[in-house]
Amino acid sequence: MDNEKNMNKVLDEFTSGDYKYGFYTDIETEMAPKGLNEDTVRFISAKKNEPGWMLEYRLKAYRHWLKLSEPDWAHVHYPKIDFQDIIYYAAPKKKKQLGSLDEVDPELLDAFSKLGISLDEQKMLAGVAVDAVIDSVSVKTTFQDTLAKHGIIFCSISEAIQEHPDLVKKHLGSVVPHTDNYYAALNAAVFSDGSFCYIPKGVRCPIELSTYFRINAANTGQFERTLLVADDNSYVSYLEGCTAPQRDENQLHAAVVEIIAMENAEVKYSTVQNWYPGNKEGKGGIYNFVTKRGACRGNFSKISWTQVETGSAITWKYPSCILMGDNSVGEFYSVAVTNNHQQADTGTKMIHLGKNTKSTIISKGISAGKSNNSYRGLVRVSKRADNARNFSQCDSLLLGDKCGAHTFPYIKTANKSAIVEHEATTSKISEDQLFYCQQRGIDMEKAIGLIVNGYAKEVLNKLPMEFAVEAQKLLAITLEGSVG
Amino acid sequence: MLLNIKDLHVSIKGKEILKGFNLGVNKGEVHAIMGPNGTGKSTLAAAITGREGYDITSGGIEYKGKIINDLEADERANMGIFLSFQYPVEIPGVSMTNFIRTAVNAQREYKGLKPMPASEFLKKMEEKKNLVEIHSKLTKRSVNEGFSGGEKKKNEIFQMAMLEPSLAILDETDSGLDIDALKVVAKGVNSLRSEENGFVVITHYQRLLDYIVPDFVHVMYDGRIVKSGGKGLALELEEKGYDWIKEQFDN
Ligand SMILES: Nc1ncnc2c1ncn2[C@@H]1O[C@H](COP(=O)(O)OP(=O)(O)OP(=O)(O)O)[C@@H](O)[C@H]1O
Ligand SMILES: [Mg+2]
């Protein structure tokens, strides 16, 4: 019933089709000079007061990046990115250590409240710890006390580099090495900040950990780095959501997320991605080139990715699981919506290395306008992965006839005992369904929202409640004006 | 007059289906429309409710004193016109409860009312479910998904009861119903029947009219009404079939 209630609340809240979060906050920033060279890397590292090993790590990544060229295999098209025309570091001016929310820049708080994530409210109502990231530097971290009681570390990655160097050194780059791909190398060289989380052995994190990202200063590429380690027998649910101000130039976002699940640990990672998609003509908008990967290191470990992707001009993203431990489980639940001129190439990789490993892929693509939506998935079963199981279902829903849906499933099995199942469907919202809704008094836009949310329900149900509400709202808003 | 249709011509993809249709329904009246397959009964329902692709080439539909020819389907619904579909549609993943709540609140919004409070809504739903004897299991499921033929029809009447329209058009709601379900549907209709609202009941069987007693019976043939009468006409049709009317008309 709660779900119903929320669903309706959501449907009542639709407003205009313009990007709701398109505002710009003027916060004094401290920027690196435009462009990328060794000095930029050194500048960033120095700004952050990093130890020598960290600078070395960055430089190694930078030197490797120089040898790589931009990938072009994805089903997306965009003008060439000038990597020398990007500012790689911008931080809100530090005002010494912040003791309470009162000390936070009021403009910043205002920005949060426009996003509907007032820290105070979050703290009290939702019981969610918020590690808010604005312009690449963590400004405020809450709920540290509750977390500290359980020995949970949840802080910015910069802080973790200073305070928990051993943990960072041990795990950073162990799932996504700097050599992994072009953007991963770039990220390793210039990442400005991000989140770090460590759940100790046997601890079940009592609250949902949440990070809100926000790109702010003009021309600043954002390079987030997230590292999440769940030790033996631990559990954590982690939420990531984001919005960005409206602007005219394309903004590059190349984040890296690494998850490590040790024996019998479980990590749920949920994302609602709502970055500026560009205007109706496709101008502006975020380029979202993200590398997300989880390693199920221990036996009986489990990593679950749930994502709702509605924003960005271009999305290039494949949250993946490496199932190393025996009996480990990987899951990927995704809803990707594209409208107008948006392009999304997203999917997952499930790499079965351990015995009795299991993976599930549920992907729901929704395309409208002149957009292109591709699912790209790889299921690989290694020789030693006896009894590996995979089930994949990739559905596409088309609104109108100018959009495209594409499915690229790759299956590679080297073990005869593996069972890999793949199902795919493509459908359209039928005229009959729309008329049925309209005949009950529900207007076209609401009807589309209703039908699309129904279509995506299987995935939305996997999200934590507060997130599910947000996600449903986004789906409908994204598709406003897409039929007619 | 609640509904006044004058010399209505409707084409689908350039083919004329309704060819000068006339019908007046006053508040408080129940009109039955009968007629052979393919004569345009469902087309009439679609034209009144504003379905796309049903082009009104001449004539007009007046409802509550307003010509509604050019209004969107949802606006007509919000003005109180309800259609019980001959073939109800499935909407996967959207629960019946959520669907009807969205509809109820959309109609309230149109009237400038706030959304119905959850407790009131649940109470009303309970009441109407009992009226049409549908199980709670059904309202938790997705709209019409996997419903039996009879369940779908009962579900239409349930929605009608929830939305309390001024004008309800029932398109073969009795087809495929067993006798108990038929009584339930009739009960639903009769409980809504009042001095304030009207019904257009499309049916092939006079059986339904034993339970929903009409004020008028019309026979439709080839896109228009060719004969009107009282309840007795339905009995006569049951007995003699349509041939005598067709003959009369074709000559
Ligand atoms: N979408 C459509 N495209 C083309 N022709 C149509 C369409 N809908 C209806 N028709 C035609 O219009 C005519 C009237 O159809 P309609 O469904 O209104 O008949 P009906 O009187 O309701 O019949 P029944 O008793 O079988 O339900 C039929 O010849 C039908 O084939
Ligand atoms: Mg019909």
Side-chain angles (χ1 to χ4, degrees), chain A residues 240-438:
Chain A
E240 169 203 54
C242 56
T243 57
Q246 191 159 349
R247 62 186 57 253
D248 240 359
E249 291 138 275
N250 291 307
Q251 291 180 300
L252 175 64
H253 184 97
V256 170
V257 176
E258 294 178 282
I259 300 177
I260 294 149
M262 305 304 282
E263 187 145 332
N264 203 30
E266 180 177 352
V267 178
K268 278 180 76 162
Y269 193 103
S270 311
T271 308
V272 171
Q273 188 268 113
N274 178 32
W275 280 331
Y276 182 53
N279 67 13
K280 290 206 166 66
E281 283 72 50
K283 201 159 181 270
I286 305 292
Y287 290 0
N288 190 28
F289 302 148
V290 179
T291 306
K292 286 184 165 176
R293 194 175 302 152
C296 285
R297 292 252 166 90
N299 296 339
F300 296 96
S301 58
K302 178 175 175 180
I303 293 176
S304 215
W305 298 99
T306 304
Q307 61 172 22
V308 174
E309 302 280 323
T310 65
S312 300
I314 301 173
T315 303
W316 179 100
K317 182 178 183 182
Y318 315 92
S320 304
C321 298
I322 304 172
L323 305 170
M324 299 157 85
D326 290 346
N327 300 86
S328 61
V329 176
E331 293 175 339
F332 174 75
Y333 300 100
S334 168
V335 175
V337 188
T338 52
N339 196 3
N340 298 318
H341 289 263
Q342 278 178 280
Q343 307 174 60
D345 194 303
T346 181
T348 185
K349 283 189 245 177
M350 293 292 175
I351 313 296
H352 292 257
L353 302 176
K355 293 184 175 58
N356 308 316
T357 45
K358 241 171 54 186
S359 62
T360 305
I361 299 170
I362 308 284
S363 163
K364 304 265 181 183
I366 300 161
S367 351
K370 292 180 179 156
S371 66
N372 259 304
N373 203 327
S374 304
Y375 167 82
R376 190 181 301 277
L378 168 67
V379 177
R380 180 189 285 156
V381 179
S382 79
K383 218 157 144 189
R384 116 181 160 80
D386 294 336
N387 302 314
R389 296 277 178 280
N390 163 268
F391 174 75
S392 303
Q393 186 177 325
C394 304
D395 297 330
S396 308
L397 185 69
L398 300 172
L399 281 76
D401 48 18
K402 291 191 184 69
C403 51
H406 317 271
T407 312
F408 306 98
Y410 305 97
I411 298 167
K412 289 179 187 160
T413 54
N415 186 310
K416 284 208 179 68
S417 67
I419 298 178
V420 177
E421 290 173 86
H422 181 87
E423 286 174 13
T425 66
T426 300
S427 51
K428 288 193 168 199
I429 289 190
S430 80
E431 182 96 38
D432 285 347
Q433 288 174 328
L434 284 175
F435 179 63
Y436 193 76
C437 293
Q438 282 185 290

Side-chain angles (χ1 to χ4, degrees), chain A residues 1-9 11-12 14 430-458 461 472 484, chain B residues 46 49-52 72-75 77-78 81-85 88-95 97-99 101-107 109 115 118 122 143-144 155-156 159 163:
Chain A
M1 190 59 226
D2 267 355
N3 236 332
E4 303 287 354
K5 246 189 326 213
N6 284 322
M7 196 97 90
N8 277 287
K9 188 171 148 234
L11 290 169
D12 289 341
F14 300 164
S430 80
E431 182 96 38
D432 285 347
Q433 288 174 328
L434 284 175
F435 179 63
Y436 193 76
C437 293
Q438 282 185 290
Q439 210 303 303
R440 300 308 187 234
I442 302 166
D443 67 39
M444 182 79 98
E445 306 251 287
K446 271 189 195 160
I448 291 170
L450 198 65
I451 294 166
V452 164
N453 273 308
Y455 165 80
K457 195 175 193 171
E458 212 179 330
N461 279 348
Q472 287 165 3
Chain B
T49 50
R51 181 158 196 160
E52 236 160 272
E72 293 289 331
D74 51 302
E75 185 163 7
N78 285 323
I81 301 176
F82 179 90
L83 171 61
S84 168
F85 283 72
V89 180
E90 302 186 357
I91 310 178
V94 179
S95 77
T97 308
N98 183 30
F99 179 75
R101 185 147 183 232
T102 307
V104 164
N105 285 334
Q107 299 209 4
E109 191 185 333
L122 288 174
V143 178
N144 290 319
N155 186 26
E156 294 292 293
Q159 292 175 55
L163 295 169

Side-chain angles (χ1 to χ4, degrees), chain A residues 79-93:
Chain A
K80 212 150 175 49
I81 298 170
D82 182 355
F83 288 91
Q84 297 307 332
D85 196 36
I86 292 172
I87 294 167
Y88 286 86
Y89 181 80
K93 278 227 169 92

